[in-house]
Amino acid sequence: MTYPPPSAAGEQAAPEPTSGAFADPMARPFGPPSSAPPSSGPPPSAQPPAEPTTFLGGVARRVRDYFLALDPTFLSAVAPLAVIAVILFTRAPSTNYIFDEQEALLANPYVNAKGGLRFIDAIHRDFWGLPPDRSVGSYRPLPNFLWRTVWAVTKQPFFHHFYNVLFHAANGALLTCVTFWLTRKRGLAYLAGLIFVGCAVLTEAVSGIVGIADVLGGMGAIAALAALTLPAWAMPFGVFAAVLFGLFSKESALVCVPLIPFAALIAAPLTHPTRPARLVRSLLALLAAGAAFVLYVELRRRWFPSPMPAELTAPLPEGTPLVKRALHDLLVWFHQAPLPRDPLNNPLSTADTPHRIAGALRVYWRGLTQLVFPWTLSGDYSYPQEPAPDRLVFFGSVAGAAMMALPPLGSLALWIAALRREHLERRERRSVRAAFLVDGGQATSRRWSLLLAGALLVAAAAALAAYDWHVLRPAGRIPLLRALPLVLWPLPFLPALLLGLGLLVEGARPLPCPATADRSIWVPLRRGYAGLCLAAIGLTWIVVSYFPHSNIPVVLPTVRAERFWYFPAIGSSLVLAVAFSWLHEALAGSTLAPRARWSWRAWVTPSLFVLFFGFQCVQAYRHAMDYRNDLEFWAATKKAVPNSAKAHLNYSVMKGARGDLPARLAESRIAVELAPSWPMAHVYTGDTLCRMHRPDEAFAYYRRGMELGPNELSLIALALQCLHDEQRLAAHDAELRQLAEEHPGTWLAYLAVDTLDNGAKHGGVDPKYRPRGYNEGPKE
């Protein structure tokens, strides 16, 4: 028996071109080369390779064969990607804890096992180890479990950072495998992995210890994509586990709920070419991801009962539209802890909605350009570096709005183009089947055992759910099921339903394929089909995965952070890899003859990629070196974002910790000029003067800072303690008591009077109210 000729359908069914992804030798989008139709003469793989004439030629051949001669696996991909990640992102072994890392580890009572906290108590604490009533809204128990485990072994900052680098490399390897499973193009797969691992804007997430939440959350998202390649009966359970893992790592993984079903819808002909069943597979992925999200929310509500935001506790007025009421009920059920609103960290928090959205679109545009051209990278973008805009229409807001709308539209256009090509495939498949049967082949049939088992499971799940709803629940039977809230009621019946639907898909009649080919992978797909699907997934992924961080749906504590781009970088890596592959195909042609390999057209795209990837690596390495220690970090930050008051003030603290008080004073005064309404800038400037034994000069700054922040306990205690140590507290007795009278019921009113009255007994401020020192652990 022979394969039907490609021209049977009237138009040639060409595989993915070998020139794509830099002369990838894979000739077909699916299956090993042996599944391709035989041709006259020995295949290229049977021809003996030319012996290298030089040592460098031999090395180049070995490197090329490593990436292009064999299908990538997780182990083969993770080795080179781990080397790249270690070179780019590893901090110096002498590094210390920087910025948020001090709060996340040094001051984390859970990680330090303070107050009798057990290992399992991570489910009852937030990301910073705080209880629900003191949380700032970050519930991420899995990173805390990991930190506590490693903390028992070592407290060195380098080791807590280094496994983050390895996890990032593992994510790149997993993305490489997913790309290969979708396209069957080795070069394109490695392109996606390289672009993701070397993405410079991800340096904060990879080199910073607190970025472990983003890295683990991204791991859950990529693992959910990988689960789409499983058989239909196993896929939803893989998606469920992966999404649940991502959610308990970082709440941003909720974007998987719409994105994974969308990817399943588009990629079904790629992941399962003989039994696409795209609508059913998308439904299975949606049910699984939705079930993981519902379970996560319900467990978080029980394990971590944080207070409800004030705007959700107030009842809605009568006549509220149904849509607004439904959204309100959804937010009440989601029960997100109140997010802090600090104008210094997020100036958009005080802007009205139109100006907040305009500013958010500007931030989105700037972050999007950093994915491709990371000219400037910074660990901080606080006020007034990213202020609220004074108008609605300007270049940043227009560009950001365009890039919010155009990628999803482009994704739709690419998918429509892919569907058109798939429609042409259907005609070819019918011709393939007719010619195949004429040649004496046997038609593939349904798997009746799987169909029967699937139908029984679906019927059983539906019958049990109906029986429980109409009989058992009204009668008050089976207390365990009655105890479940309504939103969790379908979960006991969902596994049988998902398994049954998956078996029905796997039991359906497959698309025709020759008996001598691997029926699980052989199917003719037109040239460029896989690239269209991959680009469509990536474009939508960028926008949807960034949207929760955009300050458009909700006001976040932070206006801008580069770690927010870890999830979108998954999609951008797919899009850029396909773009380089398409460009190479357009310039080099669909085939590369031996002489054509040395044509300048064949080297344009590789050269551009080397420039692009090299620039990304250089910027990633440079930014990672900013994490050598806290002084270097803030020096680089204030240089990158000179309008950030926080950057200047933190740099001043680092200089002061090293005894350079004049430099600390100069930087503190810059912070006061940039943010004249920031209490900390005034108090820290006064503290510098006080430590320089100029307490009377310092008092003016202390007074202004305490007036601006009468409930800033740590700042007030810091000021009063230094005045006491310099024996100038009594000299300002009247002024302090006047401040207390002007701010009744505040920490200023209590602490000022208490320190004046009992300072001699306590040695200044009552020790239980003194702030935690720099680089110190949690207070008992």
Short mmCIF file of all heavy atoms in Angstrom, two decimals, residues 181 184 223-240 264 267-268 270-277 280-285 288 447 450 495 497-508 520-521:
data_model
loop_
_atom_site.label_atom_id
_atom_site.label_comp_id
_atom_site.label_asym_id
_atom_site.label_seq_id
_atom_site.Cartn_x
_atom_site.Cartn_y
_atom_site.Cartn_z
N TRP A 181 5.25 20.49 21.03
CA TRP A 181 4.06 19.63 20.93
C TRP A 181 3.00 20.27 20.04
O TRP A 181 2.20 19.57 19.41
CB TRP A 181 3.50 19.34 22.31
CG TRP A 181 4.43 18.54 23.17
CD1 TRP A 181 5.40 17.68 22.75
CD2 TRP A 181 4.50 18.54 24.60
NE1 TRP A 181 6.06 17.13 23.82
CE2 TRP A 181 5.54 17.63 24.97
CE3 TRP A 181 3.80 19.19 25.61
CZ2 TRP A 181 5.88 17.39 26.30
CZ3 TRP A 181 4.14 18.94 26.93
CH2 TRP A 181 5.16 18.06 27.28
N ARG A 184 5.57 20.86 16.31
CA ARG A 184 6.49 19.82 15.83
C ARG A 184 7.67 20.43 15.08
O ARG A 184 8.19 19.83 14.16
CB ARG A 184 5.76 18.80 14.95
CG ARG A 184 4.74 17.98 15.71
CD ARG A 184 5.43 17.04 16.67
NE ARG A 184 4.49 16.55 17.68
CZ ARG A 184 4.79 15.64 18.59
NH1 ARG A 184 6.00 15.14 18.65
NH2 ARG A 184 3.90 15.25 19.47
N ALA A 223 2.19 24.70 32.86
CA ALA A 223 1.81 23.30 33.06
C ALA A 223 0.37 23.05 32.61
O ALA A 223 0.06 21.98 32.08
CB ALA A 223 1.98 22.92 34.53
N ALA A 224 -0.50 24.04 32.80
CA ALA A 224 -1.88 23.89 32.32
C ALA A 224 -1.91 23.82 30.79
O ALA A 224 -2.70 23.05 30.22
CB ALA A 224 -2.74 25.05 32.82
N LEU A 225 -1.07 24.62 30.12
CA LEU A 225 -0.96 24.51 28.66
C LEU A 225 -0.46 23.12 28.26
O LEU A 225 -0.95 22.52 27.30
CB LEU A 225 -0.01 25.58 28.13
CG LEU A 225 -0.55 27.00 27.98
CD1 LEU A 225 0.57 27.95 27.56
CD2 LEU A 225 -1.70 27.05 26.99
N ALA A 226 0.53 22.62 28.99
CA ALA A 226 1.05 21.29 28.67
C ALA A 226 -0.01 20.22 28.87
O ALA A 226 -0.03 19.21 28.15
CB ALA A 226 2.28 21.00 29.54
N ALA A 227 -0.89 20.41 29.83
CA ALA A 227 -1.94 19.42 30.10
C ALA A 227 -2.90 19.28 28.93
O ALA A 227 -3.58 18.25 28.81
CB ALA A 227 -2.70 19.78 31.37
N LEU A 228 -2.98 20.29 28.06
CA LEU A 228 -3.88 20.22 26.92
C LEU A 228 -3.47 19.12 25.93
O LEU A 228 -4.28 18.71 25.11
CB LEU A 228 -3.92 21.56 26.19
CG LEU A 228 -4.44 22.76 26.99
CD1 LEU A 228 -4.42 24.02 26.15
CD2 LEU A 228 -5.85 22.49 27.51
N THR A 229 -2.24 18.65 26.01
CA THR A 229 -1.79 17.60 25.12
C THR A 229 -2.18 16.21 25.61
O THR A 229 -1.97 15.23 24.89
CB THR A 229 -0.26 17.66 24.95
OG1 THR A 229 0.36 17.40 26.23
CG2 THR A 229 0.17 19.03 24.46
N LEU A 230 -2.71 16.10 26.82
CA LEU A 230 -3.10 14.80 27.36
C LEU A 230 -4.37 14.30 26.67
O LEU A 230 -5.11 15.08 26.06
CB LEU A 230 -3.34 14.92 28.87
CG LEU A 230 -2.13 15.27 29.74
CD1 LEU A 230 -2.57 15.52 31.17
CD2 LEU A 230 -1.08 14.18 29.68
N PRO A 231 -4.66 13.00 26.76
CA PRO A 231 -5.94 12.50 26.26
C PRO A 231 -7.10 13.22 26.92
O PRO A 231 -6.98 13.72 28.05
CB PRO A 231 -5.90 11.01 26.63
CG PRO A 231 -4.46 10.69 26.77
CD PRO A 231 -3.79 11.92 27.28
N ALA A 232 -8.22 13.26 26.23
CA ALA A 232 -9.35 14.06 26.69
C ALA A 232 -9.83 13.64 28.07
O ALA A 232 -10.33 14.47 28.83
CB ALA A 232 -10.49 13.98 25.69
N TRP A 233 -9.71 12.35 28.41
CA TRP A 233 -10.18 11.90 29.72
C TRP A 233 -9.24 12.31 30.85
O TRP A 233 -9.65 12.40 32.01
CB TRP A 233 -10.36 10.38 29.73
CG TRP A 233 -9.12 9.61 29.38
CD1 TRP A 233 -8.75 9.15 28.16
CD2 TRP A 233 -8.09 9.20 30.29
NE1 TRP A 233 -7.54 8.49 28.23
CE2 TRP A 233 -7.11 8.51 29.53
CE3 TRP A 233 -7.90 9.36 31.65
CZ2 TRP A 233 -5.97 7.97 30.10
CZ3 TRP A 233 -6.75 8.83 32.23
CH2 TRP A 233 -5.81 8.14 31.45
N ALA A 234 -7.96 12.58 30.54
CA ALA A 234 -6.99 12.98 31.56
C ALA A 234 -6.75 14.48 31.56
O ALA A 234 -6.34 15.03 32.60
CB ALA A 234 -5.67 12.24 31.33
N MET A 235 -6.98 15.15 30.44
CA MET A 235 -6.66 16.56 30.32
C MET A 235 -7.30 17.43 31.38
O MET A 235 -6.62 18.26 32.02
CB MET A 235 -7.02 17.06 28.92
CG MET A 235 -6.76 18.54 28.70
SD MET A 235 -8.20 19.59 29.00
CE MET A 235 -9.19 19.20 27.57
N PRO A 236 -8.61 17.33 31.67
CA PRO A 236 -9.19 18.24 32.65
C PRO A 236 -8.60 18.09 34.04
O PRO A 236 -8.48 19.07 34.78
CB PRO A 236 -10.69 17.89 32.63
CG PRO A 236 -10.77 16.56 32.00
CD PRO A 236 -9.63 16.48 31.05
N PHE A 237 -8.18 16.89 34.40
CA PHE A 237 -7.59 16.69 35.72
C PHE A 237 -6.19 17.32 35.78
O PHE A 237 -5.80 17.87 36.81
CB PHE A 237 -7.55 15.20 36.05
CG PHE A 237 -8.90 14.56 36.06
CD1 PHE A 237 -9.34 13.84 34.96
CD2 PHE A 237 -9.75 14.70 37.14
CE1 PHE A 237 -10.61 13.26 34.95
CE2 PHE A 237 -11.01 14.12 37.14
CZ PHE A 237 -11.45 13.41 36.05
N GLY A 238 -5.45 17.25 34.67
CA GLY A 238 -4.17 17.94 34.61
C GLY A 238 -4.33 19.44 34.67
O GLY A 238 -3.57 20.13 35.36
N VAL A 239 -5.31 19.98 33.95
CA VAL A 239 -5.57 21.42 33.98
C VAL A 239 -5.99 21.85 35.38
O VAL A 239 -5.52 22.88 35.90
CB VAL A 239 -6.66 21.78 32.95
CG1 VAL A 239 -7.13 23.22 33.15
CG2 VAL A 239 -6.14 21.60 31.53
N PHE A 240 -6.85 21.07 36.02
CA PHE A 240 -7.31 21.39 37.37
C PHE A 240 -6.13 21.49 38.33
O PHE A 240 -6.00 22.46 39.09
CB PHE A 240 -8.30 20.33 37.84
CG PHE A 240 -8.75 20.49 39.26
CD1 PHE A 240 -9.79 21.32 39.59
CD2 PHE A 240 -8.11 19.80 40.29
CE1 PHE A 240 -10.21 21.48 40.91
CE2 PHE A 240 -8.51 19.94 41.60
CZ PHE A 240 -9.57 20.78 41.91
N ALA A 264 -7.18 25.74 24.37
CA ALA A 264 -7.68 24.42 23.99
C ALA A 264 -8.53 24.51 22.74
O ALA A 264 -8.48 23.63 21.87
CB ALA A 264 -8.48 23.82 25.15
N ALA A 267 -5.95 25.19 19.79
CA ALA A 267 -4.87 24.23 19.58
C ALA A 267 -5.35 22.80 19.46
O ALA A 267 -4.51 21.91 19.27
CB ALA A 267 -3.86 24.34 20.72
N ALA A 268 -6.64 22.51 19.56
CA ALA A 268 -7.10 21.12 19.53
C ALA A 268 -6.65 20.37 18.28
O ALA A 268 -6.21 19.22 18.38
CB ALA A 268 -8.62 21.08 19.67
N LEU A 270 -3.98 20.74 16.77
CA LEU A 270 -2.54 20.55 16.88
C LEU A 270 -2.19 19.52 17.94
O LEU A 270 -1.31 18.69 17.75
CB LEU A 270 -1.85 21.88 17.21
CG LEU A 270 -2.05 23.02 16.21
CD1 LEU A 270 -1.45 24.30 16.76
CD2 LEU A 270 -1.44 22.67 14.87
N THR A 271 -2.87 19.59 19.07
CA THR A 271 -2.57 18.66 20.16
C THR A 271 -3.15 17.28 19.89
O THR A 271 -2.59 16.27 20.33
CB THR A 271 -3.11 19.21 21.49
OG1 THR A 271 -4.51 19.47 21.36
CG2 THR A 271 -2.40 20.49 21.87
N HIS A 272 -4.29 17.21 19.19
CA HIS A 272 -4.94 15.93 18.92
C HIS A 272 -5.47 15.95 17.49
O HIS A 272 -6.68 16.11 17.26
CB HIS A 272 -6.08 15.68 19.91
CG HIS A 272 -5.62 15.66 21.33
ND1 HIS A 272 -5.50 16.80 22.08
CD2 HIS A 272 -5.25 14.63 22.14
CE1 HIS A 272 -5.07 16.49 23.29
NE2 HIS A 272 -4.91 15.19 23.35
N PRO A 273 -4.59 15.82 16.50
CA PRO A 273 -5.00 16.00 15.11
C PRO A 273 -5.99 14.96 14.61
O PRO A 273 -6.73 15.23 13.67
CB PRO A 273 -3.69 15.93 14.34
CG PRO A 273 -2.75 15.20 15.23
CD PRO A 273 -3.15 15.56 16.61
N THR A 274 -6.00 13.76 15.17
CA THR A 274 -6.93 12.74 14.69
C THR A 274 -8.30 12.85 15.35
O THR A 274 -9.29 12.36 14.80
CB THR A 274 -6.37 11.34 14.92
OG1 THR A 274 -6.10 11.16 16.32
CG2 THR A 274 -5.08 11.14 14.13
N ARG A 275 -8.36 13.43 16.53
CA ARG A 275 -9.64 13.63 17.23
C ARG A 275 -9.64 15.04 17.83
O ARG A 275 -9.52 15.21 19.04
CB ARG A 275 -9.82 12.59 18.34
CG ARG A 275 -10.04 11.16 17.83
CD ARG A 275 -10.26 10.23 19.02
NE ARG A 275 -10.60 8.88 18.56
CZ ARG A 275 -9.69 7.95 18.27
NH1 ARG A 275 -8.40 8.24 18.38
NH2 ARG A 275 -10.07 6.75 17.87
N PRO A 276 -9.81 16.08 17.02
CA PRO A 276 -9.73 17.44 17.56
C PRO A 276 -10.81 17.74 18.60
O PRO A 276 -10.50 18.14 19.71
CB PRO A 276 -9.88 18.33 16.33
CG PRO A 276 -9.54 17.45 15.17
CD PRO A 276 -9.96 16.08 15.55
N ALA A 277 -12.07 17.59 18.23
CA ALA A 277 -13.20 17.84 19.15
C ALA A 277 -12.96 19.13 19.92
O ALA A 277 -13.05 19.17 21.15
CB ALA A 277 -13.39 16.65 20.09
N VAL A 280 -15.57 20.41 22.61
CA VAL A 280 -15.66 19.59 23.82
C VAL A 280 -14.39 19.75 24.66
O VAL A 280 -14.46 19.85 25.89
CB VAL A 280 -15.92 18.12 23.47
CG1 VAL A 280 -16.01 17.27 24.73
CG2 VAL A 280 -17.18 17.97 22.65
N ARG A 281 -13.23 19.75 24.00
CA ARG A 281 -11.99 19.91 24.75
C ARG A 281 -11.93 21.29 25.42
O ARG A 281 -11.46 21.41 26.55
CB ARG A 281 -10.79 19.72 23.83
CG ARG A 281 -10.61 18.30 23.34
CD ARG A 281 -9.35 18.15 22.50
NE ARG A 281 -9.33 16.87 21.83
CZ ARG A 281 -8.86 15.75 22.36
NH1 ARG A 281 -8.38 15.77 23.59
NH2 ARG A 281 -8.85 14.62 21.68
N SER A 282 -12.41 22.31 24.74
CA SER A 282 -12.45 23.63 25.36
C SER A 282 -13.40 23.65 26.54
O SER A 282 -13.11 24.26 27.59
CB SER A 282 -12.86 24.67 24.31
OG SER A 282 -12.90 25.96 24.86
N LEU A 283 -14.54 22.98 26.42
CA LEU A 283 -15.48 22.90 27.53
C LEU A 283 -14.87 22.16 28.71
O LEU A 283 -15.02 22.58 29.87
CB LEU A 283 -16.76 22.20 27.07
CG LEU A 283 -17.81 21.94 28.16
CD1 LEU A 283 -18.31 23.26 28.74
CD2 LEU A 283 -18.97 21.12 27.61
N LEU A 284 -14.16 21.08 28.45
CA LEU A 284 -13.51 20.33 29.52
C LEU A 284 -12.48 21.20 30.23
O LEU A 284 -12.39 21.19 31.47
CB LEU A 284 -12.84 19.08 28.95
CG LEU A 284 -13.77 17.96 28.45
CD1 LEU A 284 -12.96 16.88 27.76
CD2 LEU A 284 -14.56 17.38 29.61
N ALA A 285 -11.68 21.94 29.46
CA ALA A 285 -10.68 22.82 30.07
C ALA A 285 -11.34 23.93 30.88
O ALA A 285 -10.87 24.29 31.97
CB ALA A 285 -9.79 23.43 28.99
N ALA A 288 -12.67 22.45 34.16
CA ALA A 288 -11.57 22.11 35.07
C ALA A 288 -10.94 23.37 35.67
O ALA A 288 -10.74 23.45 36.89
CB ALA A 288 -10.52 21.30 34.33
N ARG A 447 -14.23 3.51 19.00
CA ARG A 447 -13.88 2.63 20.12
C ARG A 447 -15.13 2.48 20.98
O ARG A 447 -15.40 3.29 21.86
CB ARG A 447 -12.73 3.22 20.92
CG ARG A 447 -11.47 3.46 20.09
CD ARG A 447 -10.43 4.19 20.92
NE ARG A 447 -9.24 4.51 20.15
CZ ARG A 447 -8.22 5.23 20.62
NH1 ARG A 447 -8.25 5.70 21.85
NH2 ARG A 447 -7.18 5.47 19.86
N LEU A 450 -14.93 2.59 24.88
CA LEU A 450 -14.76 3.92 25.46
C LEU A 450 -16.05 4.73 25.36
O LEU A 450 -16.41 5.47 26.29
CB LEU A 450 -13.63 4.66 24.75
CG LEU A 450 -12.22 4.07 24.89
CD1 LEU A 450 -11.21 4.97 24.18
CD2 LEU A 450 -11.84 3.89 26.34
N PRO A 495 -15.99 15.21 38.56
CA PRO A 495 -14.98 14.27 38.03
C PRO A 495 -15.57 13.21 37.10
O PRO A 495 -15.00 12.93 36.03
CB PRO A 495 -14.38 13.65 39.29
CG PRO A 495 -14.58 14.68 40.35
CD PRO A 495 -15.89 15.31 40.02
N LEU A 497 -18.30 13.43 35.34
CA LEU A 497 -18.73 14.08 34.11
C LEU A 497 -17.55 14.36 33.20
O LEU A 497 -17.61 14.09 31.98
CB LEU A 497 -19.45 15.39 34.45
CG LEU A 497 -19.91 16.24 33.26
CD1 LEU A 497 -20.96 15.49 32.45
CD2 LEU A 497 -20.45 17.58 33.73
N LEU A 498 -16.46 14.90 33.76
CA LEU A 498 -15.29 15.19 32.94
C LEU A 498 -14.68 13.92 32.36
O LEU A 498 -14.30 13.88 31.18
CB LEU A 498 -14.25 15.94 33.78
CG LEU A 498 -14.66 17.32 34.31
CD1 LEU A 498 -13.56 17.90 35.19
CD2 LEU A 498 -14.96 18.27 33.17
N LEU A 499 -14.59 12.89 33.18
CA LEU A 499 -14.02 11.63 32.70
C LEU A 499 -14.89 11.04 31.61
O LEU A 499 -14.39 10.54 30.58
CB LEU A 499 -13.88 10.65 33.87
CG LEU A 499 -13.25 9.29 33.55
CD1 LEU A 499 -11.86 9.45 32.98
CD2 LEU A 499 -13.24 8.41 34.81
N GLY A 500 -16.20 11.10 31.80
CA GLY A 500 -17.11 10.55 30.80
C GLY A 500 -17.04 11.29 29.49
O GLY A 500 -16.97 10.68 28.41
N LEU A 501 -17.02 12.62 29.53
CA LEU A 501 -16.91 13.40 28.30
C LEU A 501 -15.58 13.13 27.60
O LEU A 501 -15.52 13.04 26.37
CB LEU A 501 -17.06 14.89 28.61
CG LEU A 501 -18.45 15.38 29.02
CD1 LEU A 501 -18.41 16.84 29.41
CD2 LEU A 501 -19.45 15.17 27.89
N GLY A 502 -14.52 13.00 28.39
CA GLY A 502 -13.24 12.70 27.78
C GLY A 502 -13.21 11.34 27.10
O GLY A 502 -12.64 11.20 26.00
N LEU A 503 -13.83 10.35 27.70
CA LEU A 503 -13.89 9.03 27.07
C LEU A 503 -14.72 9.06 25.79
O LEU A 503 -14.40 8.37 24.82
CB LEU A 503 -14.47 8.02 28.05
CG LEU A 503 -13.57 7.66 29.25
CD1 LEU A 503 -14.30 6.74 30.21
CD2 LEU A 503 -12.28 7.01 28.78
N LEU A 504 -15.78 9.86 25.78
CA LEU A 504 -16.57 9.99 24.56
C LEU A 504 -15.74 10.58 23.43
O LEU A 504 -15.85 10.16 22.27
CB LEU A 504 -17.80 10.86 24.83
CG LEU A 504 -18.90 10.25 25.70
CD1 LEU A 504 -20.01 11.27 25.98
CD2 LEU A 504 -19.50 9.01 25.02
N VAL A 505 -14.92 11.57 23.75
CA VAL A 505 -14.06 12.16 22.72
C VAL A 505 -13.06 11.14 22.21
O VAL A 505 -12.86 11.00 20.99
CB VAL A 505 -13.33 13.40 23.30
CG1 VAL A 505 -12.26 13.89 22.32
CG2 VAL A 505 -14.32 14.52 23.58
N GLU A 506 -12.41 10.42 23.11
CA GLU A 506 -11.40 9.46 22.69
C GLU A 506 -12.00 8.25 21.98
O GLU A 506 -11.30 7.54 21.27
CB GLU A 506 -10.58 9.01 23.90
CG GLU A 506 -9.76 10.10 24.55
CD GLU A 506 -8.77 10.73 23.60
OE1 GLU A 506 -8.21 10.01 22.75
OE2 GLU A 506 -8.55 11.95 23.69
N GLY A 507 -13.28 8.02 22.19
CA GLY A 507 -13.91 6.89 21.52
C GLY A 507 -14.51 7.23 20.17
O GLY A 507 -14.95 6.32 19.45
N ALA A 508 -14.54 8.50 19.80
CA ALA A 508 -15.14 8.90 18.53
C ALA A 508 -14.27 8.43 17.37
O ALA A 508 -13.10 8.11 17.52
CB ALA A 508 -15.32 10.42 18.49
N SER A 520 -2.02 8.11 16.12
CA SER A 520 -2.22 9.15 17.13
C SER A 520 -1.64 10.49 16.71
O SER A 520 -1.94 11.50 17.33
CB SER A 520 -1.56 8.73 18.45
OG SER A 520 -0.15 8.65 18.28
N ILE A 521 -0.80 10.49 15.65
CA ILE A 521 -0.13 11.75 15.32
C ILE A 521 -0.22 12.13 13.85
O ILE A 521 0.07 13.26 13.50
CB ILE A 521 1.36 11.70 15.72
CG1 ILE A 521 2.04 10.50 15.07
CG2 ILE A 521 1.53 11.64 17.22
CD1 ILE A 521 3.52 10.40 15.36
#
